[in-house]
Amino acid sequence: MLDAGLRLERSALLLLDIQNGFLNPDSALVRAGLVPEISREREELSANLRGVLTAMRRAGRPVFYINTGFRADKADCYFAPAWRRCFAENPHLLVEGSESAAVPAEIAPQEKDFIITKKGHSAFQFTHLDRALGDLNIETCVVAGNILSSVEETLRQG
């Protein structure tokens, strides 16, 4: 849960890659060893995310879903080579509008939430996230995600 000492007035929640293609135990990304298999932890992750989402929404703070999504031909994929090979071998993986690109229903975005589609590991690279956070006068980001590389790259660039 959120630390009681965290001041939420100028905070936003960033949810990175909370999508079926990353979370499902039978995902091609899991089979390729790019994403850890988290079937045992998935319910705990979902419960924790619901708690953080509730706290941020009650505080009236913006929530950003930063999802990975590609064209069907993956020409807009800017991930590292090992990831690109996996995407090329699995033509429907994380294609915008596909089941693997969808956010699980129990933590789905609500009407006022922001949805940003990213094409690489970082939530900032090739997106308008920095501008949106600046326009909203955000100085603290609460970051949650499933993919360590995306979280690391986002934190470095943030």
Short mmCIF file of all heavy atoms in Angstrom, two decimals, residues 1 3 9-10 18 20 23 42 56 58 63-65 74 89 93 95-96 103 110 112 120:
data_model
loop_
_atom_site.label_atom_id
_atom_site.label_comp_id
_atom_site.label_asym_id
_atom_site.label_seq_id
_atom_site.Cartn_x
_atom_site.Cartn_y
_atom_site.Cartn_z
N MET A 1 0.84 -1.18 0.00
CA MET A 1 0.00 0.00 0.00
C MET A 1 0.88 1.24 0.00
O MET A 1 2.07 1.16 0.26
CB MET A 1 -0.93 -0.04 1.20
CG MET A 1 -2.06 0.93 1.10
SD MET A 1 -2.91 0.81 -0.46
CE MET A 1 -4.54 0.63 0.08
N ASP A 3 2.68 4.54 1.27
CA ASP A 3 3.20 5.03 2.53
C ASP A 3 2.37 6.25 2.96
O ASP A 3 2.11 7.14 2.17
CB ASP A 3 4.67 5.42 2.33
CG ASP A 3 5.32 5.97 3.58
OD1 ASP A 3 4.64 6.15 4.60
OD2 ASP A 3 6.53 6.23 3.52
N GLU A 9 -0.57 15.25 -3.34
CA GLU A 9 -1.09 16.43 -4.05
C GLU A 9 -0.50 16.61 -5.44
O GLU A 9 -1.16 17.12 -6.34
CB GLU A 9 -0.82 17.73 -3.27
CG GLU A 9 -1.35 17.78 -1.88
CD GLU A 9 -0.38 17.18 -0.87
OE1 GLU A 9 0.83 17.49 -0.90
OE2 GLU A 9 -0.84 16.39 -0.05
N ARG A 10 0.77 16.26 -5.62
CA ARG A 10 1.42 16.44 -6.92
C ARG A 10 1.98 15.12 -7.44
O ARG A 10 3.04 15.07 -8.04
CB ARG A 10 2.50 17.52 -6.81
CG ARG A 10 1.85 18.88 -6.50
CD ARG A 10 2.81 20.01 -6.41
NE ARG A 10 3.48 20.22 -7.69
CZ ARG A 10 4.56 20.99 -7.81
NH1 ARG A 10 5.06 21.61 -6.78
NH2 ARG A 10 5.12 21.13 -8.99
N ILE A 18 1.00 -3.65 -17.63
CA ILE A 18 0.07 -4.52 -16.90
C ILE A 18 -0.91 -5.04 -17.94
O ILE A 18 -2.05 -4.60 -18.03
CB ILE A 18 -0.64 -3.74 -15.76
CG1 ILE A 18 0.38 -3.08 -14.84
CG2 ILE A 18 -1.56 -4.66 -14.98
CD1 ILE A 18 1.28 -4.03 -14.08
N ASN A 20 -2.09 -8.59 -20.57
CA ASN A 20 -2.15 -10.05 -20.64
C ASN A 20 -0.90 -10.67 -21.25
O ASN A 20 -0.43 -11.71 -20.80
CB ASN A 20 -3.38 -10.49 -21.43
CG ASN A 20 -4.66 -10.18 -20.69
OD1 ASN A 20 -4.71 -10.23 -19.47
ND2 ASN A 20 -5.71 -9.85 -21.43
N LEU A 23 1.50 -10.89 -18.43
CA LEU A 23 1.06 -11.52 -17.19
C LEU A 23 0.65 -12.99 -17.31
O LEU A 23 0.70 -13.72 -16.34
CB LEU A 23 -0.12 -10.73 -16.60
CG LEU A 23 0.18 -9.30 -16.20
CD1 LEU A 23 -1.10 -8.58 -15.80
CD2 LEU A 23 1.18 -9.25 -15.06
N ARG A 42 0.39 -13.60 -9.38
CA ARG A 42 -0.51 -12.74 -10.14
C ARG A 42 -1.66 -12.20 -9.30
O ARG A 42 -1.99 -11.02 -9.38
CB ARG A 42 -1.06 -13.48 -11.36
CG ARG A 42 -1.95 -12.57 -12.20
CD ARG A 42 -2.39 -13.20 -13.46
NE ARG A 42 -3.34 -12.31 -14.11
CZ ARG A 42 -3.70 -12.40 -15.35
NH1 ARG A 42 -3.19 -13.32 -16.12
NH2 ARG A 42 -4.57 -11.56 -15.86
N MET A 56 -5.12 6.13 -5.12
CA MET A 56 -4.82 7.26 -6.00
C MET A 56 -6.11 7.89 -6.56
O MET A 56 -6.21 9.11 -6.63
CB MET A 56 -3.91 6.82 -7.14
CG MET A 56 -2.51 6.40 -6.68
SD MET A 56 -1.57 7.72 -5.87
CE MET A 56 -0.94 8.58 -7.31
N ARG A 58 -9.12 7.81 -5.18
CA ARG A 58 -9.81 8.51 -4.07
C ARG A 58 -9.17 9.86 -3.79
O ARG A 58 -9.85 10.81 -3.39
CB ARG A 58 -9.80 7.66 -2.81
CG ARG A 58 -10.84 6.59 -2.81
CD ARG A 58 -10.93 5.90 -1.48
NE ARG A 58 -11.89 4.83 -1.55
CZ ARG A 58 -11.85 3.72 -0.84
NH1 ARG A 58 -10.88 3.55 0.05
NH2 ARG A 58 -12.77 2.81 -0.96
N VAL A 63 -4.04 8.68 -13.05
CA VAL A 63 -3.53 7.33 -13.25
C VAL A 63 -3.20 7.18 -14.72
O VAL A 63 -4.02 7.48 -15.59
CB VAL A 63 -4.58 6.27 -12.83
CG1 VAL A 63 -4.12 4.87 -13.19
CG2 VAL A 63 -4.89 6.39 -11.34
N PHE A 64 -1.98 6.73 -14.99
CA PHE A 64 -1.52 6.51 -16.36
C PHE A 64 -1.28 5.02 -16.57
O PHE A 64 -0.49 4.41 -15.84
CB PHE A 64 -0.20 7.24 -16.62
CG PHE A 64 -0.33 8.72 -16.72
CD1 PHE A 64 -0.35 9.52 -15.60
CD2 PHE A 64 -0.40 9.34 -17.97
CE1 PHE A 64 -0.46 10.89 -15.70
CE2 PHE A 64 -0.50 10.71 -18.08
CZ PHE A 64 -0.54 11.48 -16.94
N TYR A 65 -1.96 4.46 -17.55
CA TYR A 65 -1.66 3.11 -18.01
C TYR A 65 -0.72 3.27 -19.19
O TYR A 65 -1.10 3.84 -20.21
CB TYR A 65 -2.93 2.39 -18.46
CG TYR A 65 -3.81 1.92 -17.32
CD1 TYR A 65 -4.65 2.80 -16.66
CD2 TYR A 65 -3.79 0.59 -16.93
CE1 TYR A 65 -5.45 2.36 -15.62
CE2 TYR A 65 -4.60 0.14 -15.90
CZ TYR A 65 -5.42 1.03 -15.24
OH TYR A 65 -6.21 0.60 -14.21
N LYS A 74 4.71 -5.00 -36.79
CA LYS A 74 5.73 -4.70 -35.77
C LYS A 74 6.80 -3.71 -36.26
O LYS A 74 7.88 -3.62 -35.67
CB LYS A 74 6.41 -5.98 -35.27
CG LYS A 74 5.49 -7.07 -34.75
CD LYS A 74 4.93 -6.74 -33.42
CE LYS A 74 4.14 -7.79 -32.70
NZ LYS A 74 3.76 -9.02 -33.23
N GLU A 89 8.42 -13.74 -33.98
CA GLU A 89 8.02 -15.15 -34.00
C GLU A 89 6.58 -15.36 -33.53
O GLU A 89 6.03 -16.45 -33.69
CB GLU A 89 8.97 -15.97 -33.12
CG GLU A 89 10.39 -16.02 -33.68
CD GLU A 89 11.40 -16.55 -32.67
OE1 GLU A 89 11.01 -16.92 -31.54
OE2 GLU A 89 12.60 -16.58 -33.02
N LEU A 93 1.33 -11.12 -30.84
CA LEU A 93 1.77 -10.71 -29.50
C LEU A 93 1.84 -9.18 -29.39
O LEU A 93 2.56 -8.52 -30.15
CB LEU A 93 3.13 -11.33 -29.19
CG LEU A 93 3.71 -11.03 -27.82
CD1 LEU A 93 2.79 -11.54 -26.71
CD2 LEU A 93 5.09 -11.67 -27.69
N VAL A 95 -0.07 -6.85 -30.29
CA VAL A 95 -0.61 -6.02 -31.36
C VAL A 95 -1.78 -5.22 -30.77
O VAL A 95 -2.62 -5.77 -30.06
CB VAL A 95 -1.07 -6.89 -32.56
CG1 VAL A 95 -1.87 -6.07 -33.56
CG2 VAL A 95 0.13 -7.54 -33.22
N GLU A 96 -1.79 -3.93 -31.05
CA GLU A 96 -2.84 -3.07 -30.51
C GLU A 96 -4.22 -3.65 -30.84
O GLU A 96 -4.49 -4.04 -31.98
CB GLU A 96 -2.72 -1.65 -31.04
CG GLU A 96 -1.48 -0.96 -30.48
CD GLU A 96 -1.39 0.49 -30.90
OE1 GLU A 96 -2.21 1.29 -30.42
OE2 GLU A 96 -0.48 0.80 -31.70
N VAL A 103 -5.48 -5.00 -20.93
CA VAL A 103 -5.26 -4.97 -19.49
C VAL A 103 -6.31 -5.89 -18.86
O VAL A 103 -7.47 -5.86 -19.26
CB VAL A 103 -5.43 -3.52 -18.95
CG1 VAL A 103 -5.35 -3.48 -17.44
CG2 VAL A 103 -4.39 -2.60 -19.58
N GLN A 110 -10.20 3.22 -16.05
CA GLN A 110 -11.50 3.86 -15.95
C GLN A 110 -11.53 5.08 -16.85
O GLN A 110 -10.51 5.47 -17.43
CB GLN A 110 -11.78 4.23 -14.49
CG GLN A 110 -11.92 3.02 -13.60
CD GLN A 110 -12.27 3.38 -12.17
OE1 GLN A 110 -12.35 4.56 -11.79
NE2 GLN A 110 -12.48 2.37 -11.36
N LYS A 112 -11.56 8.31 -16.61
CA LYS A 112 -10.69 9.47 -16.43
C LYS A 112 -9.20 9.13 -16.49
O LYS A 112 -8.37 10.02 -16.45
CB LYS A 112 -10.99 10.15 -15.10
CG LYS A 112 -12.34 10.84 -15.08
CD LYS A 112 -12.55 11.59 -13.80
CE LYS A 112 -13.88 12.31 -13.84
NZ LYS A 112 -14.10 13.13 -12.67
N GLY A 120 8.73 1.04 -26.98
CA GLY A 120 10.02 0.57 -26.50
C GLY A 120 9.93 0.27 -25.02
O GLY A 120 8.84 0.23 -24.45
#
